[in-house]
Amino acid sequence: MTRRGTGTSRVAVVGSANLDLVVTTPQLPRPGETMLGEGFRMVPGGKGANQAVAAARAGADCAFVGAVGDDDFGRTLRENLTSAGVDVRGLRELPGPSGVALIAVDASAENLIVVAPGANAGLADLDDADRATIAGADVLLTQLEVPLPAVTRAARWAHDAGTTVVLNAAPARQLPAELLDLVDLLVVNQHEAAVVAGRPESAEADGSLDALLALVPRVVLTLGARGAIYADRDGRRLAVAAPTIDAVDTTAAGDAFTGALAVAWAERAGPDTTGPDSTGALTDVLRWACAAGAACALRPGAGTALPTRTEIDALFATTYAGADR
Ligand code: ADP
């Protein structure tokens, strides 16, 4: 995607960092079942750190505000962010364990995840330096794997500074108006959409979108292999198809999508919190994010699978060349 203007977009991420302990298995185990896995690897993850690395690889100047423990995992997590070029001046080291995610991935690339938050749960107080980072960014990107007061404070500071607030409501929960009122763009998958909207999961996506637009002005709903839908309170609704691929592991596809979306949004909208000004630009932003999600699903792992700008551009070009926008 061609950048608008000359500057690199600035994305501040306030969120979690976890070490993912990943086992591949023929099928996912049922409750109470013990299953022999086939392989094991440790991969830096956490939605916050993943989306920060995703944004940095997608071409943003990215700063991360979060917390790791005073253990080996914490050092690995810090090094992972640094080596992706993420500014880690806002990364605290707190006494105790780092966050850990236990992940099983089956032969069909379906996954099952349990998170022990560790230091992420201690990210309570943000300080003046964090505020300056957030105020200096085009986009604040945040999720729900760190305490809600920290998310809300970051969103308040962003809102006051004219920084666009992008909330990926994962893991899903219902949210207080205090936070929802600060959100410019909500990014959710189908499960998260239903939970945030307070609707049954079997409900039609359209109904969830309408319910979500009563809470926030703009929503992006991701639909896995079927792509994504954008909807806003001005009545704009756009459905974008995802690239057709042979998925290997969809673990961080949502993080790749969301990180790239934040970058593209900042590049196409600049400091305008209402977003890209034309339907064509908005379509490009969504397609580019879909290309990032699909490129991520082509490789195993979470953090290590996040695509570079060149990889996203390549899949975007081959998928959408000549398509209407
Ligand atoms: P999450 O991982 O948060 O549940 P999704 O599964 O909806 O999110 O995936 C996020 C995005 O990644 C999708 O909107 C799509 O663009 C891309 N994606 C995910 N899985 C696939 C797939 N199997 N084929 C193509 N694109 C995919």
Side-chain angles (χ1 to χ4, degrees):
M1 198 179 63
T2 314
R3 287 179 215 257
R4 197 179 78 165
T6 51
T8 302
S9 62
R10 290 160 306 168
V11 175
V13 178
V14 174
S16 61
N18 293 320
L19 203 68
D20 291 353
L21 310 179
V22 187
V23 178
T24 48
T25 91
Q27 299 127 40
L28 297 179
R30 292 187 304 274
E33 186 179 9
T34 299
M35 186 167 281
L36 281 183
E38 290 167 340
F40 171 71
R41 60 186 187 276
M42 292 201 288
V43 192
K47 288 181 191 300
N50 277 352
Q51 291 177 23
V53 170
R57 290 210 185 138
D61 191 345
C62 183
F64 182 70
V65 174
V68 293
D70 58 356
D71 52 10
D72 285 346
F73 287 178
R75 285 181 279 282
T76 303
L77 295 171
R78 180 181 296 274
E79 164 60 20
N80 171 59
L81 287 158
T82 309
S83 62
V86 175
D87 174 350
V88 291
R89 281 174 295 179
L91 181 63
R92 286 96 167 129
E93 183 182 296
L94 302 180
S98 294
V100 170
L102 306 179
I103 302 179
V105 183
D106 75 9
S108 69
E110 193 53 74
N111 61 46
L112 188 151
I113 305 177
V114 183
V115 176
N120 296 296
L123 187 73
D125 297 323
L126 302 186
D127 58 27
D128 287 348
D130 302 323
R131 184 172 191 160
T133 299
I134 291 164
D138 301 308
V139 169
L140 166 70
L141 178 53
T142 186
Q143 315 79 22
L144 302 173
E145 286 186 343
V146 294
L148 208 53
V151 173
T152 306
R153 175 155 309 182
R156 162 75 51 207
W157 286 341
H159 181 80
D160 290 350
T163 299
T164 302
V165 177
V166 178
L167 174 66
N168 176 213
R173 50 166 287 175
Q174 288 195 297
L175 293 166
E178 187 191 7
L179 174 59
L180 290 167
D181 289 349
L182 301 168
V183 172
D184 294 300
L185 175 65
L186 180 73
V187 182
V188 281
N189 64 19
Q190 285 170 286
H191 164 70
E192 292 148 6
V195 174
V196 175
R199 288 166 54 86
E201 226 174 292
S202 55
E204 284 294 303
D206 269 13
S208 291
L209 278 174
D210 289 336
L212 291 173
L213 287 175
L215 305 175
V216 296
R218 290 163 214 89
V219 177
V220 170
L221 175 65
T222 65
L223 302 170
R226 289 183 294 127
I229 298 175
Y230 168 89
D232 66 27
R233 281 183 185 161
D234 296 332
R236 276 203 290 188
R237 208 164 270 219
L238 279 175
V240 171
T244 304
I245 53 151
D246 285 326
V248 174
D249 178 358
T250 60
T251 305
D255 294 334
F257 177 99
T258 306
L261 180 74
V263 174
W265 191 272
E267 289 178 6
R268 287 308 183 98
D272 182 354
T273 54
T274 62
D277 53 8
S278 71
T279 304
L282 191 56
T283 304
D284 279 349
V285 166
L286 292 167
R287 285 178 174 169
W288 203 69
C290 281
C296 180
L298 285 170
R299 281 202 290 258
T304 46
L306 297 165
T308 62
R309 188 176 186 97
T310 308
E311 290 167 332
I312 303 169
D313 276 342
L315 191 55
F316 174 87
T318 54
T319 304
Y320 303 111
D324 288 344
R325 56 198 276 280

